[in-house]
Amino acid sequence: MPLHDDEMNRRREKREAQRKKQQAEAKRLKITLILAAVVLALCTAGIVFLTNRFGDSVETAAMETRPTEKPTEATQPTTRAEKSTKTTIHIKAAGDLNVTDSVINAGVAVGGYDYSRAFLDVSGVLSDADLTVLNLEGNICGEPYGSATTSAPRELLVGLRNAGVDLIQMANSCTINNGLIGLTSTLQSIRAAGMEPVGAFATDAEFQQSKGYTITEVQGIKVAFVAFTKGLGGRGMPAGNENLVNLLYEDYADLYDKVDREGITQILKNVQAEKPDVTIALLHWGSEYNDEISDTQKSIVSLMKKQGVDVILGTHPHTVQSIIFDEAAGTLEAYSLGDFFGDASRGGTNYSIILDVEITKDSSTGVTKVTGYSYTPIYTVTEGESADGYRRVMRIDKAVEAWDDNYLDRVTKQAKEAMVYAQQRITERIQPPKEEKK
């Protein structure tokens, strides 16, 4: 299913306007520095002229008698055509947003809910991409809100949209927590907020129309998104509605033992029939609070790569796991991005990353591949760790810097120390030491 092009274009234009504003400010500063340098140079030249004015004629005559030297040939600059053969885009991804009591309370405001404050510090990171995706573990289907129902107010989606999120992964363990009515309401609310859900569908007709995927074009690069979940929180889909969520396993309600190779392959063949330049799979898989990569996960990776998947972005374990980047093949697997926003009450769930995947298309060869990645470490600051008593997501490096510079609104010393530790653990988790061969 294609993304809403008008909305996506408006968002890109807004980001481009912000970039142009920054460029204009930098240009003004550059011009000011150049003018200062010119004034200094003129003053220096004036002094030199006055000092040497009587020797000018002699120097001029000497110059006229010198033999003309053959000018050095300038190095040929790269042509515009050569520069334009490569186009690079950036896809950003955050991990799980868990709808719980504490997450709901983070948006409580006078007269309703407002999540601007909760995502303010990371909005610049999320919005500075061509497309940004996040996994929503919950529904938007009315009160009561919180952990018991995993239902959240629509304002949560508004906050995510304003922070820069474009796509919402909806294939996960909470997809049908509130039944098919809750699923339909959630999908409608996501689209009404200006974003696009991936991996779940309101009706079988919608699934058949979309063929199980979402596709869009960014700067001439055709990007396909698919999303799958290992299960639905122990629930089974009602008879006749099996297609409403993309599933990784045939035994998805209990054992997670038998990979649904046929179902996965069919959807990925549908994707490849569109001839996308790059295919990104959003996978809700693995085990909660467990770093072990199962054999079935490895077989899923192998299957998906054979069917044209270039990037795998994992969620569900709630902690950060390893990232494998194959530079030669131009592929990347991030097994788990961790919890973007949640209770943060369990070890390793209070920090995660916003991943930035760099994708480059070479029009001269027709090859599109992952050419690099980076990430921003983030931390869920709880009510007791913040200066104003509000829960929010913060960039670790900026928060630590603010604490070191003694800002008034800095986090507590305990939170600062936890962030320093988290940054170290993120590096260790993403790039674990290789086991020595015996």
Side-chain angles (χ1 to χ4, degrees):
M1 181 177 291
L3 293 176
H4 303 299
D5 292 335
D6 291 342
E7 176 64 22
M8 297 301 293
N9 288 335
R10 282 195 294 271
R11 298 193 67 186
R12 292 191 194 108
E13 288 172 1
K14 182 178 178 181
R15 293 172 187 171
E16 185 61 28
Q18 291 174 339
R19 292 191 187 101
K20 287 182 178 179
K21 182 179 179 181
Q22 293 173 346
Q23 291 171 353
E25 292 175 352
K27 186 176 181 180
R28 283 195 293 271
L29 177 60
K30 184 177 180 180
I31 291 173
T32 301
L33 294 173
I34 291 174
L35 288 175
V38 169
V39 171
L40 179 61
L42 289 174
C43 292
T44 303
I47 295 171
V48 172
F49 173 77
L50 291 173
T51 304
N52 300 296
R53 63 186 183 278
F54 296 111
D56 285 350
S57 58
V58 176
E59 179 63 22
T60 301
M63 289 291 292
E64 290 176 350
T65 60
R66 290 175 188 166
T68 303
E69 295 182 0
K70 184 178 180 180
T72 303
E73 293 184 5
T75 303
Q76 291 297 320
T78 304
T79 65
R80 181 173 297 179
E82 291 173 334
K83 289 182 179 178
S84 63
T85 59
K86 293 184 179 181
T87 302
T88 298
I89 63 172
H90 290 263
I91 307 296
K92 290 193 176 182
D96 301 286
L97 194 163
N98 306 296
V99 177
T100 64
D101 291 339
S102 58
V103 167
I104 298 299
N105 293 336
V108 172
V110 177
Y113 294 90
D114 183 351
Y115 288 88
S116 301
R117 178 175 51 218
F119 307 133
L120 179 62
D121 191 63
V122 294
S123 62
V125 180
L126 293 170
S127 62
D128 188 23
D130 293 281
L131 290 170
T132 298
V133 63
L134 174 145
N135 179 48
L136 175 63
E137 294 208 353
N139 300 133
I140 311 297
C141 57
E143 297 183 285
Y145 303 135
S147 301
T149 62
T150 65
S151 180
R154 286 182 170 85
E155 286 83 358
L156 178 63
L157 297 178
V158 174
L160 291 174
R161 180 201 64 196
N162 291 339
V165 177
D166 301 296
L167 301 104
I168 298 289
Q169 179 179 348
M170 272 303 297
N172 56 54
S173 55
C174 297
T175 305
I176 58 170
N177 275 5
N178 293 280
L180 298 186
I181 293 176
L183 169 60
T184 299
S185 174
T186 304
L187 298 179
Q188 291 174 344
S189 298
I190 290 171
R191 292 190 175 107
M195 298 178 289
E196 187 70 19
V198 186
F201 314 91
T203 63
D204 185 71
E206 184 177 298
F207 169 78
Q208 297 299 337
Q209 181 184 4
S210 70
K211 298 181 181 179
Y213 61 86
T214 298
I215 197 162
T216 189
E217 189 169 303
V218 182
Q219 297 188 43
I221 299 177
K222 204 171 184 180
V223 185
F225 289 90
V226 291
F228 294 84
T229 179
K230 67 177 290 185
L232 300 166
R235 301 174 180 84
M237 292 298 294
N241 294 282
E242 291 83 3
N243 287 334
L244 300 194
V245 185
N246 291 342
L247 296 161
L248 289 172
Y249 297 88
E250 292 182 27
D251 52 349
Y252 65 89
D254 43 44
L255 298 177
Y256 315 115
D257 220 19
K258 190 175 182 181
V259 175
D260 186 3
R261 302 182 70 86
E262 183 178 345
I264 294 170
T265 299
Q266 184 57 60
I267 290 175
L268 293 180
K269 282 185 175 179
N270 293 341
V271 172
Q272 295 312 310
E274 296 276 1
K275 299 187 183 305
D277 293 303
V278 62
T279 300
I280 298 173
L282 314 173
L283 304 186
H284 187 261
W285 63 348
S287 299
E288 292 182 303
Y289 319 111
N290 189 329
D291 290 340
E292 183 180 352
I293 306 301
S294 69
D295 290 338
T296 58
Q297 281 181 276
K298 295 174 184 177
S299 68
I300 288 168
V301 171
S302 177
L303 172 62
M304 289 194 165
K305 282 187 172 182
K306 288 178 181 177
Q307 296 300 327
V309 171
D310 305 286
V311 178
I312 290 175
L313 303 174
T315 54
H316 180 59
H318 303 298
T319 56
V320 177
Q321 292 182 352
S322 61
I323 295 176
I324 300 174
F325 171 44
D326 187 332
E327 187 173 3
T331 61
L332 181 142
E333 300 117 52
Y335 279 88
S336 175
L337 301 176
D339 277 353
F340 170 72
F341 195 39
D343 282 346
S345 58
R346 195 159 175 164
T349 65
N350 56 346
Y351 59 84
S352 66
I353 64 171
I354 298 174
L355 181 65
D356 182 347
V357 182
E358 179 188 88
I359 297 169
T360 303
K361 179 178 181 178
D362 189 336
S363 59
S364 65
T365 62
V367 174
T368 304
K369 59 195 298 188
V370 178
T371 48
Y373 77 93
S374 60
Y375 57 86
T376 300
I378 58 175
Y379 184 94
T380 296
V381 176
T382 64
E383 293 81 356
E385 293 177 322
S386 63
D388 54 13
Y390 288 107
R391 179 177 295 255
R392 55 167 60 86
V393 186
M394 298 188 73
R395 295 165 292 172
I396 291 178
D397 59 343
K398 296 301 180 183
V400 171
E401 182 181 322
W403 197 93
D404 290 338
D405 290 340
N406 202 27
Y407 282 20
L408 291 176
D409 59 348
R410 65 183 182 171
V411 298
T412 65
K413 182 179 180 181
Q414 181 181 3
K416 180 255 185 179
E417 291 173 348
M419 288 184 183
V420 171
Y421 172 75
Q423 190 145 22
Q424 175 187 340
R425 290 293 291 134
I426 287 171
T427 302
E428 293 170 350
R429 283 179 166 274
I430 289 176
Q431 300 173 338
K434 295 182 180 179
E435 295 182 5
E436 294 183 5
K437 293 182 180 180
K438 295 182 180 180

